[in-house]
Amino acid sequence: MPLMKLSQKFWDATQSIISTTEKHPFLTSMVDGTLSQEKFVYYVLQDALYLTDFADGLSRLSEKAPNPIHQKKLAELAKGAEEDEKELHRSFFQKWNIDDKNVQPMPNTVLYTSYMMKVVATRPYAEGLAVLLPCFWVYMHVGKQMLKLRDELGDSAERIPQFDAWIDMYASEEFEKEVKDYIAMVDEIKEDASSCVDTTTYDYAKEYESEDDMVNRMQEHFIMCCKLEHMFWDQAYSLMKWPEL
């Protein structure tokens, strides 16, 4: 029997979170067309702020990558997050005649980006890969689930064009390819650690007492960021604000 991939171990550990998130009312109401535009605008503005840090995290991780293949792929993904995904946001902003220049990051945006960037900046490469994985994988997963629900609803639901554009991007084959490429890099970490444990080829291998220690720390970050993904949609659905003190 083949050994379980590292990424699958992480995914299996978050099944209760993922199964709850895929039914989040923010997402399901996008598909059935009942989500208010106010909540969606709030989300898109906060997501634009998040993507700036996410792209920066990918770029910083590229500089820490132990081999040129990972370096190149992470740099490409950073460019894609900054250009392709934010281009979708910019098209929405143009339609709504707004921008995100003076938008204040809300509590869960700060919580998520702070945690993510701290891990990327201060922890070994392996943990940096793990902390950024949920943004890719959870979005692909919910995108596919939302596309399925949209097909089931057919013409019975009416949505604003921005909802369909969002679903189309994250359910697309192009995005799926990016996600699978990223997952493959995560899986290679365990293979590399196993084969290079007695060398200095991979700096992160020197940061842990054992391979299990590395895997457990990676899984902790993956689980945490799956929770933070859910909380990001909670924030938008409730139109969360900072307390007035």
Side-chain angles (χ1 to χ4, degrees), residues 1-146:
M1 181 182 295
L3 293 175
M4 179 185 291
K5 292 286 189 180
L6 190 58
S7 60
Q8 191 62 51
K9 171 180 168 61
F10 298 162
W11 189 254
D12 289 349
T14 59
Q15 276 310 290
S16 63
I17 303 170
I18 300 301
S19 62
T20 301
T21 298
E22 68 187 33
K23 297 186 284 288
H24 197 291
F26 183 92
L27 301 174
T28 57
S29 60
M30 275 181 65
V31 183
D32 66 25
T34 60
L35 183 70
S36 71
Q37 185 164 317
E38 179 186 16
K39 291 179 179 179
F40 189 66
V41 171
Y42 175 109
Y43 160 77
V44 172
L45 288 168
Q46 292 300 306
D47 196 44
L49 299 181
Y50 170 88
L51 281 173
T52 297
D53 281 345
F54 183 70
D56 185 47
L58 287 165
S59 181
R60 290 172 184 269
L61 200 58
S62 172
E63 296 171 3
K64 298 173 71 171
N67 67 64
I69 296 175
H70 282 208
Q71 290 170 1
K72 182 174 184 292
K73 187 60 190 176
L74 288 165
E76 291 172 350
L77 289 169
K79 183 178 180 182
E82 184 63 40
E83 295 182 1
D84 298 339
E85 290 190 68
K86 289 192 73 173
E87 180 56 35
L88 179 69
H89 294 62
R90 285 188 285 268
S91 71
F92 296 165
F93 294 162
Q94 185 175 12
K95 173 69 175 178
W96 300 326
N97 195 29
I98 61 173
D99 62 54
D100 62 344
K101 288 188 174 68
N102 297 309
V103 175
Q104 180 186 29
M106 289 293 120
N108 287 353
T109 307
V110 173
L111 179 62
Y112 195 172
T113 57
S114 297
Y115 181 84
M116 174 179 69
M117 295 306 290
K118 180 180 178 181
V119 172
V120 169
T122 67
R123 299 301 302 159
Y125 175 69
E127 291 177 49
L129 272 183
V131 83
L132 299 180
L133 177 57
C135 184
F136 283 110
W137 205 343
V138 172
Y139 267 64
M140 180 185 76
H141 179 77
V142 300
K144 300 285 189 187
Q145 294 297 313
M146 293 166 75

